[in-house]
Amino acid sequence: LDPEVAHDLTLTQLQRAYALGLARFMCKSVPALPVTVMGLEFPNPVGLAAGMDKNGDHIDALGTFGFGFIEAGTVTPRPQPGNPKPRIFRLIPAQGVINRMGFNNDGVDKFVENVQRQTSFRRRGGVIGLNIGKNADTPIEKAASLSSRQSKPPFTLRAFSK
């Protein structure tokens, strides 16, 4: 199975299991090991790095695995397709992958909608990190702007707290 197809299929099936209330049976309960870093309290020190959930669609479903934090993204101001396929390569002897996806995502506006809809992970105390990058066609000197249609960020940190 192509690695990118496997990635997408995994997220689709996890979301389906979560929607049916079955995802919680896939994992053992994770003990509370609270950690405070830079004023943020995490329920435990284990998290998921950016790249798994590029559009913030699956935060609640992924949260059933017991993560203390989930970093969603990377998202760009405008939607973009990413690099041409194939762009994920398996390294079987090393049990790893090479990811050359290139920030394929639906853009920051859709991303914010998706993240705001994900509430159960935050209610359980999970921390969401938002990984934001620039579009491939954006010059580096203009990379600080979050959205081409808005003069200010489309959200505040408060929007994603408990």
Side-chain angles (χ1 to χ4, degrees):
L1 188 60
D2 173 78
E4 190 166 349
V5 171
H7 173 89
D8 293 341
L9 184 62
T10 298
L11 286 176
T12 299
Q13 295 308 317
L14 174 61
Q15 191 65 42
R16 186 170 289 150
Y18 177 77
L20 293 171
L22 303 173
R24 63 182 178 209
F25 299 115
M26 296 165 46
C27 302
K28 292 182 181 179
S29 179
V30 176
L33 295 168
V35 177
T36 301
V37 179
M38 297 174 62
L40 290 174
E41 186 169 327
F42 299 83
N44 67 63
V46 179
L48 180 65
M52 183 70 174
D53 186 2
K54 292 190 168 287
N55 292 302
D57 291 313
H58 308 286
I59 293 168
D60 287 344
L62 288 163
T64 62
F65 287 106
F67 294 114
F69 63 94
I70 294 174
E71 186 176 358
T74 296
V75 66
T76 55
R78 292 172 281 108
Q80 69 179 22
N83 291 328
K85 295 179 183 181
R87 53 195 181 181
I88 301 179
F89 307 91
R90 288 188 176 102
L91 298 174
I92 294 170
Q95 296 182 348
V97 295
I98 295 173
N99 172 348
R100 295 184 182 149
M101 293 182 81
F103 297 169
N104 55 307
N105 69 91
D106 295 335
V108 73
D109 293 333
K110 181 69 172 162
F111 182 83
V112 168
E113 286 176 30
N114 293 341
V115 172
Q116 287 175 330
R117 234 186 2 262
Q118 308 292 315
T119 59
S120 75
F121 179 69
R122 288 193 314 273
R123 274 197 313 268
R124 291 192 312 268
V127 175
I128 301 173
L130 309 177
N131 194 313
I132 302 169
K134 73 175 195 69
N135 286 93
D137 63 355
T138 301
I140 195 71
E141 58 274 3
K142 294 187 179 198
S145 173
L146 267 181
S147 176
S148 60
R149 294 189 304 240
Q150 299 169 322
S151 60
K152 62 180 185 170
F155 55 85
T156 65
L157 291 177
R158 251 179 270 114
F160 302 114
S161 62
K162 293 181 195 173

